[in-house]
Amino acid sequence: MQLKLYVEEIQKTYTLNPNKEYVVGSGSDCDLPLANASVVAPKHLKFSFNQMVNVWYIYDLGSSRGTFVNNQQITEYAIREQTRIAVAGGIFLVATPQGGNITPPPPVYSQPIYSQPTSSGSSLPRTQVNNQPVSSKVLTWKEYVNQQVEKEENFFVRFIKRFYLVTGFRNTPWVRAYGETGFNAFDGYIIPDFKEPAANIAFGIEEKLGQLKKYEDTDFLVAKLTDAHIADSATQSFLGVELFPIQRGGRGDYRRFGVLSYHRVRTYLLVENYGSDLFVSWVTRFEPDPTPVLPYLWLALCLFFNFIALFIPGGNPLLIIAFPAFLLWLIYYLLVPALMQETGVPPKKSNGRFFIILTFGFILTIPFVIPPILFLLLIRQLREQNTIA
């Protein structure tokens, strides 16, 4: 009986034959080498087929960081069905007996498995490999918006939800504010003289929160965002007019946020190091309940009055109002969100206003720019004809 072995880290499948034993480890002489020498022993474990009972077995070869199945450290385990094996707590193998196609099971959110303490006295989470946490996909802002929008079944609701998320035109309250002015800020705490990297702690928290996905109307995602994607603050203004509104910042401004959603409540969680300290912070806000009534009512009125202006006798004067209103709708709800999302501009109201003015101004200048260009091209063509004649 053959055994199919899938290594998740490199996404590669091996076929193990029952007539030999297979040693797995970081050593170059192993049958199945794993390239993580800092956590995987030179000879970490082996797979062996027992002819007497017709079952494949896995044996831990005395490794220091252990071999785990179903969150339990094992020294010997009979593989009677598709089994997910954790090597050193962070490298995953999927073993499927009797051959056939392998379908790797989805990651299991579970209690963290901890390895032996480090020299500092702390423990590293089971998902640490080469001092780097193994984690689920970290979304970009565009991917994050797309995932949020795709949750809605109604096309009209998806349309308006994308508009709110991308432009920042969401007049929704924060769960907590500070002082008489209601200043919105991150809440949190600092742990002084913390020896472990923040990434290790962040992944442990993310794994725990990921368990909440099984509940209805609850989701958890990890995304690279800036503060401007979350809070419409830190603005520069002159006489009430905001200056330099885009404020996308450099690559260092993008940080790893865990985003927990429950119905309309969304909490943004950040874990990072400040010198020798660990800083854990979060902020919670109500997100808009997508109601497409206003944009579609606006569109319906624009189409109605444009129809009257074009097809009803004496209705031409309505075009002076109806057509610019329709053009503004296209810019406001279609063009500006598309431009902001594609360019990665943070969802700040000032950015939305900036893009609306810029786009509308560009369109208004077209009648003044195109005719002179056409006129110059015509003059050039006439001159070429005269030269040929």
Side-chain angles (χ1 to χ4, degrees), residues 61-358:
L61 301 178
S63 64
S64 61
R65 291 185 178 264
T67 304
F68 302 86
V69 175
N70 297 328
N71 293 345
Q72 300 296 323
Q73 187 168 0
I74 59 98
T75 56
E76 175 183 333
Y77 187 84
I79 305 173
R80 303 181 186 277
E81 58 185 1
Q82 188 176 83
T83 304
R84 195 164 187 256
I85 305 157
V87 181
I91 303 170
F92 295 96
L93 313 176
V94 180
T96 305
Q98 297 180 352
N101 295 326
I102 183 169
T103 303
V108 179
Y109 294 104
S110 55
Q111 295 290 335
I113 300 170
Y114 287 88
S115 61
Q116 295 181 356
T118 62
S119 58
S120 62
S122 60
S123 296
L124 298 178
R126 67 176 180 83
T127 47
Q128 186 182 8
V129 178
N130 276 343
N131 297 322
Q132 295 295 325
V134 179
S135 176
S136 57
K137 177 177 174 59
V138 180
L139 305 176
T140 63
W141 169 243
K142 182 178 179 180
E143 292 170 335
Y144 170 77
V145 170
N146 289 339
Q147 287 212 15
Q148 295 295 319
V149 171
E150 289 169 2
K151 294 178 185 177
E152 305 293 340
E153 298 180 358
N154 187 296
F155 168 80
F156 301 104
V157 175
R158 289 200 301 267
F159 174 81
I160 196 62
K161 187 170 185 178
R162 183 182 301 276
F163 168 78
Y164 279 131
L165 287 174
V166 172
T167 61
F169 290 123
R170 47 183 182 183
N171 294 312
T172 55
W174 298 79
V175 170
R176 181 175 180 179
Y178 296 88
E180 297 179 359
T181 59
F183 173 69
N184 303 309
F186 283 87
D187 196 1
Y189 56 87
I190 296 176
I191 303 177
D193 298 324
F194 198 85
K195 304 301 182 183
E196 289 188 26
N200 294 340
I201 307 304
F203 184 78
I205 296 174
E206 290 166 9
E207 189 178 35
K208 285 290 188 180
L209 293 177
Q211 299 181 44
L212 299 175
K213 286 185 175 183
K214 63 184 179 181
Y215 297 105
E216 187 177 0
D217 298 323
T218 305
D219 196 10
F220 182 77
L221 301 171
V222 181
K224 280 279 190 177
L225 308 173
T226 70
D227 291 348
H229 287 89
I230 301 169
D232 197 8
S233 60
T235 60
Q236 295 174 292
S237 61
F238 176 72
L239 297 178
V241 178
E242 188 170 339
L243 305 175
F244 311 109
I246 293 179
Q247 291 186 357
R248 181 165 45 186
R251 183 177 301 176
D253 293 332
Y254 283 84
R255 294 177 288 175
R256 180 192 181 104
F257 283 89
V259 187
L260 178 65
S261 303
Y262 176 68
H263 291 283
R264 290 181 58 201
V265 180
R266 189 163 296 150
T267 298
Y268 300 86
L269 174 69
L270 178 66
V271 180
E272 56 187 350
N273 290 114
Y274 278 99
S276 61
D277 301 336
L278 181 75
F279 184 50
V280 181
S281 58
W282 60 88
V283 65
T284 302
R285 73 178 301 160
F286 291 108
E287 294 297 339
D289 187 12
T291 51
V293 175
L294 178 59
Y296 289 108
L297 178 61
W298 180 356
L299 177 61
L301 290 175
C302 288
L303 294 176
F304 175 73
F305 284 112
N306 275 283
F307 176 82
I308 293 177
L310 293 173
F311 299 102
I312 303 298
N316 290 341
L318 285 175
L319 280 175
I320 300 175
I321 298 176
F323 183 74
F326 176 65
L327 185 63
L328 185 60
W329 187 94
L330 292 176
I331 295 172
Y332 191 74
Y333 287 107
L334 290 180
L335 190 56
V336 166
L339 289 174
M340 291 184 67
Q341 186 173 12
E342 289 300 322
T343 55
V345 172
K348 294 161 60 73
K349 295 176 185 177
S350 57
N351 286 338
R353 291 191 294 266
F354 174 78
F355 270 82
I356 289 172
I357 295 172
L358 182 66

Side-chain angles (χ1 to χ4, degrees), residues 35-55:
N36 302 90
S38 62
V39 293
V40 179
K43 292 185 178 181
H44 198 103
L45 58 93
K46 74 175 180 179
F47 290 92
S48 179
F49 184 71
N50 189 317
Q51 300 282 356
M52 298 295 294
V53 294
N54 199 36
V55 173

Side-chain angles (χ1 to χ4, degrees), residues 4-70:
K4 293 282 188 178
L5 186 67
Y6 178 78
V7 183
E8 291 188 357
E9 185 181 28
I10 59 176
Q11 298 182 354
K12 185 174 181 179
T13 302
Y14 297 92
T15 300
L16 278 57
N17 295 313
N19 56 354
K20 67 170 293 188
E21 293 183 338
Y22 293 84
V23 177
V24 180
S26 59
S28 59
D29 57 341
C30 290
D31 300 291
L32 301 175
L34 297 177
N36 302 90
S38 62
V39 293
V40 179
K43 292 185 178 181
H44 198 103
L45 58 93
K46 74 175 180 179
F47 290 92
S48 179
F49 184 71
N50 189 317
Q51 300 282 356
M52 298 295 294
V53 294
N54 199 36
V55 173
W56 279 92
Y57 278 80
I58 180 174
Y59 300 92
D60 184 87
L61 301 178
S63 64
S64 61
R65 291 185 178 264
T67 304
F68 302 86
V69 175
N70 297 328

